[in-house]
Amino acid sequence: MTVSTNTDPALASALARFDRLAAERGIAVQPDVPLAPMTTLRVGGPADRLAEPRTRDELLAVLEVARFTELPWLVIGNGSDLVVADAGVRGLVIRNRARALTIDGNLVTADAGTPMALLVKRAAAAGLAGLEWGIAVPGTLGGAVWANAGAHGSEISDVLTFVEAWDPSRGEQHRFPNAECRFGYRESRFKHEPQIVLSAVLELTAGDLPAAVAERITAFQAQRQATQPLAEQNAGSVFRNPPGDHAGRLIDVAGLKGLRVGTASVSTRHANFIVTDRGGRAADVRQLAEEVRRVVRDSAGVQLEYEIEFVGAWEGDR
């Protein structure tokens, strides 16, 4: 996705082509936009270009222009699982703000940019159960599908029926039933293919009183507030849980709570969270995370795998 330097002539040419075509088509694009405020970790540099489509049609329009001009691009939602490099992201960042949402019986259809919290509350107001756990997922529906996000023993794949996605190789839209999404623990086909999630259809359980659903949501919220460092800048769980264990337990047992590298530290409330100071550096987060992996590997013999995503122009990346 990234190019090593801002002065890359191929990138400069693609940016110029993109700017011209976007202007011709009336697509709003901003240059050199800081991305740190658009992530929950609040670190990282700027995007060469930023587009914020607010409808599915606008999203498809900007994707088509990026495809036609061969400009590297990255789609983000709420930025809750992202660590953006201090040098930023080369090319185009598309912040998906498309949030159309409809409820028909027990089926909920929503755009990928819909925040999970909004989705959970709308479903609850309609008396639909089965998504209450989603209040603990700070991202969007698209990110939840992409990573098969979950909490409290449930995952988005438990309630998903179809995903609509866009294929950049052909510029075509496709519909994938649940069985074709290749869901696994924090995995889906969308992590390994260039398909962009546009929307999803969820099948929930009808019949509950809205008050009963809301009560369960409140309980999940309270548990999250009691166990996670929500008042501090963080990107959610840093590592996936290894089979039969929890990453947070392994990090805690290794004595790493409070470990600090520059502006980043392991949370003292939940060991599987890294928190940052105001004005923090992404490089500190990455160095700290690698140190945590090393210590856990040496002490427990377990190689922790990342749940967060490192994106952008990282020094030393190829």
Side-chain angles (χ1 to χ4, degrees):
M1 152 66 207
T2 59
V3 180
S4 60
T5 172
N6 273 324
T7 60
D8 182 276
L11 174 62
S13 177
L15 283 167
R17 293 194 304 271
F18 176 83
D19 287 344
R20 287 195 299 269
L21 191 53
E24 290 174 7
R25 299 190 179 183
I27 296 173
V29 180
Q30 304 173 67
D32 301 317
V33 179
L35 293 174
M38 299 179 189
T39 73
T40 58
L41 194 58
R42 298 291 193 268
V43 300
D48 289 336
R49 300 292 185 274
L50 175 73
E52 297 186 277
R54 294 182 176 273
T55 68
R56 177 170 169 155
D57 287 344
E58 289 180 1
L59 172 61
L60 288 169
V62 71
L63 284 168
E64 285 288 359
V65 172
R67 173 176 177 266
F68 183 78
T69 58
E70 300 182 327
L71 181 66
W73 45 265
L74 171 72
V75 178
I76 67 172
N78 281 356
S80 58
D81 289 320
L82 293 182
V83 184
V84 176
D86 294 312
V89 177
R90 303 288 68 78
L92 171 69
V93 172
I94 303 170
R95 189 184 186 201
N96 185 5
R97 309 297 297 277
R99 300 178 175 182
L101 190 160
T102 60
I103 297 177
D104 183 8
N106 64 334
L107 296 179
V108 179
T109 303
D111 283 340
T114 306
M116 284 295 290
L118 174 62
L119 192 59
V120 170
K121 291 174 182 177
R122 288 284 300 276
L128 298 177
L131 197 62
E132 295 90 328
W133 57 269
I135 200 67
V137 178
T140 60
L141 176 60
V145 171
W146 182 82
N148 191 22
H152 305 291
S154 297
E155 299 173 324
I156 197 70
S157 57
D158 296 337
V159 295
L160 185 142
T161 58
F162 289 98
V163 173
E164 289 193 338
W166 180 79
D167 180 357
S169 65
R170 296 174 176 269
E172 297 176 345
Q173 297 179 46
H174 298 282
R175 198 178 202 209
F176 298 97
N178 186 306
E180 293 181 11
C181 293
R182 299 202 295 271
F183 286 123
Y185 172 61
R186 302 300 176 264
E187 281 289 346
S188 77
R189 71 180 299 160
F190 309 105
K191 271 196 171 185
H192 307 283
E193 299 177 4
Q195 306 274 356
I196 299 301
V197 176
L198 299 175
S199 65
V201 180
L202 310 178
E203 184 174 4
L204 303 180
T205 303
D208 270 20
L209 293 174
V213 180
E215 185 176 344
R216 291 193 290 272
I217 292 171
T218 299
F220 285 137
Q221 283 180 311
Q223 182 177 347
R224 182 170 177 244
Q225 290 168 353
T227 59
Q228 298 180 11
L230 301 185
E232 299 177 271
Q233 298 174 167
N234 73 83
S237 296
V238 176
F239 302 104
R240 302 182 187 190
N241 288 324
D245 209 335
H246 291 87
R249 188 196 73 81
L250 291 169
I251 298 167
D252 192 2
V253 168
L256 298 177
K257 275 188 173 180
L259 179 66
R260 174 174 285 271
V261 171
T263 61
S265 61
V266 177
S267 170
T268 56
R269 173 165 284 195
H270 193 308
N272 198 20
F273 283 68
I274 288 177
V275 298
T276 56
D277 301 337
R278 291 184 180 274
R281 298 179 66 247
D284 293 340
V285 175
R286 192 163 193 174
Q287 184 179 343
L288 176 59
E290 284 298 316
E291 177 63 9
V292 169
R293 291 181 89 196
R294 184 193 67 78
V295 173
V296 170
R297 181 178 63 247
D298 292 348
S299 63
V302 176
Q303 177 71 22
L304 294 175
E305 301 296 334
Y306 283 115
E307 185 167 326
I308 57 175
E309 295 288 322
F310 295 95
V311 300
W314 292 89
E315 183 178 353
D317 281 0
R318 296 292 184 265

